[in-house]
Amino acid sequence: MPPALDDLLDRTHVVALPMRVRFRGLTTREVALIEGPAGWGEFGAFVEYDDTEAATWLAAAVDAAYRPPPPALRDAIAINATVPAVPAAQVPDVLARFPGARTAKVKVAEPGQTLDDDVARVEAVRALIPTVRVDANGGWTVEQAVTAAAALTATGDLEYLEQPCATVAELAELREHITVPVAADEAIRKAADPLTVVRARAADVAVLKVAPLGGVRALLNIAAQIDIPVVVSSALDSAVGIGIGLAAAAALPRLEHACGLGTGGLFIEDVAETPGPVDGQLRVGAVAPDPARLAGLAAPAVRRDWWLERIARCHALTRPT
C-alpha cells in the first residue's frame, strides 16, 4: 500500500537541474525527490506523460524511498558515455566527461538532422571509443533503419541499434533485414505488457529503466523472465535516480553490457556531488542530496505546486481499489 499522501508531500523536494546541452528537447530537467524512511526516491516522469503513465514512475520513487534496495552482487557498474545529437566537432568535449568509458551511446535520428549528421557524429565517437551503440528513440521507419544501419556500419561495427523503430512489429521486421543487433527501450517501458517485445523476438537486448517500470524490484522481475541480455539505463535521472539505477544493475544476476547510467555528466549542477566514473565504472551506493544543493536548485514555487498536484493525482491512481 502506498504511503499516505500527506506524508509523501511533506517529504518531497522539487528541483530544476540545468543541462549542459539540449537533451530530449530539454535544457532544464525537473524532478521531485522524496526523502523516505529507507532512503531517497525520485519522481521525474516527463511533463508530457499523462497521469496513468506517470503513476508508474511515482511507484518507483515510493519503492526506493520506503523500501531498502535488494542485495548487491557487484560493487561497480561499467557505464556508457552518452553523446547527445551534437555536431561531430563537439564529440571530444562530450566524451571527456566520461573518463575510461569503453562504450558510447550516440543519439541519432534527431528531428531536423540528417543521416549524414548521424554518420559524422558516430565516426567522431568511433575514433575515440572502441564500442559504439546508437539510440534512435523510434525515429526511423523500417526502410530508413535498414539504410541507417548500413551507413553507420560502413567503417565499423555497432554494438546495437537502440529502439530504431517505434513498434514491436517494426522491430521484428527490421531484425529480418539487418545483422546489427536490435535493442528495445520504449517498446518495453511503454508497453502494457513489457514482455511482448521478447515474445515477438523483436529484440536482441532489453534496455530497462527503473522509473518507467515501477521500481527496482519490478525491473528485476522483468529481467528474470527474459532470455536476452539486459542494459540498465537512466531516464535522465538526477544523482539520486542514478544511484537507484546502479542498485538495480548491481542486483542483476547477469550483466554483460555497459549500462546507460552515466547521464549525470549532462547536468551543469546536480543535487549531490558523487564520484565520477573510474576506468569507465561507477561505484554502487545510495545517494543523499546535499541540503544546500536542494535549496539552491529548488524549482520556482509555481513549478513546485505543479509537481505536488501531479503527485496527488498519480498517488490516487496507485491506491488499491
Side-chain angles (χ1 to χ4, degrees):
M1 178 178 294
L5 178 59
D6 287 347
D7 182 61
L8 199 58
L9 296 179
D10 285 345
R11 296 174 180 271
T12 297
H13 305 257
V14 181
V15 295
L17 308 180
M19 303 190 66
R20 297 183 187 278
V21 296
R22 183 178 295 273
F23 195 84
R24 284 189 93 263
L26 299 174
T27 55
T28 300
R29 174 70 165 127
E30 293 181 346
V31 297
L33 302 176
I34 301 168
E35 184 179 11
W40 285 81
E42 177 168 329
F43 175 51
F46 295 108
V47 295
E48 67 270 22
Y49 290 1
D50 64 25
D51 291 345
T52 300
E53 184 170 3
T56 304
W57 293 59
L58 180 61
V62 170
D63 179 71
Y66 287 81
R67 299 178 66 186
L73 303 179
R74 51 190 68 82
D75 58 12
I77 305 297
I79 61 163
N80 65 245
T82 299
V83 180
V86 298
Q90 294 182 22
V91 163
D93 289 339
V94 173
L95 293 180
R97 302 182 199 125
F98 302 91
R102 297 172 180 84
T103 301
K105 180 171 82 169
V106 184
K107 289 291 184 179
V108 295
E110 184 82 357
Q113 296 189 5
T114 67
L115 180 56
D116 287 343
D117 296 324
D118 294 338
V119 170
R121 188 180 311 113
V122 167
E123 291 296 337
V125 173
R126 192 174 271 136
L128 299 170
I129 297 282
T131 302
V132 181
R133 56 181 68 154
V134 300
D135 183 6
N137 289 117
W140 291 322
T141 65
V142 172
E143 182 179 1
Q144 289 170 332
V146 171
T147 300
L152 293 168
T153 57
T155 63
D157 294 335
L158 288 177
E159 185 180 26
Y160 56 70
L161 298 173
E162 182 174 332
Q163 200 65 48
C165 306
T167 69
V168 171
E170 288 174 317
L171 295 181
E173 180 183 352
L174 178 63
R175 289 186 74 227
E176 297 177 358
H177 297 288
I178 65 173
T179 58
V180 181
V182 172
D185 175 9
E186 289 90 344
I188 294 175
R189 63 182 169 88
K190 287 181 169 289
D193 179 359
L195 300 178
T196 299
V197 70
V198 179
R199 296 192 187 104
R201 299 187 180 278
D204 302 281
V205 176
V207 178
L208 303 183
K209 299 178 179 179
V210 172
L213 294 175
V216 171
R217 289 162 185 81
L219 183 152
L220 295 176
N221 182 54
I222 291 169
Q225 298 180 65
I226 61 179
D227 58 359
I228 60 176
V230 165
V231 171
V232 179
S233 191
S234 159
L236 200 53
D237 303 325
S238 78
V240 170
I242 293 296
I244 297 167
L246 289 169
L252 283 168
R254 171 187 173 197
L255 189 64
E256 301 174 4
H257 297 276
C259 287
L261 295 169
T263 54
L266 297 174
F267 298 120
I268 296 172
E269 295 183 85
D270 207 334
V271 294
E273 185 71 37
T274 56
V278 176
D279 293 331
Q281 296 188 319
L282 287 176
R283 301 288 298 181
V284 176
V287 175
D290 181 306
R293 289 172 179 250
L294 276 182
L297 293 167
V302 65
R303 296 303 302 162
R304 170 180 163 81
D305 291 345
W306 186 91
W307 279 93
L308 294 183
E309 290 167 4
R310 191 186 200 194
I311 288 173
R313 296 193 307 271
C314 292
H315 180 270
L317 295 175
T318 64
R319 270 185 261 172
T321 55

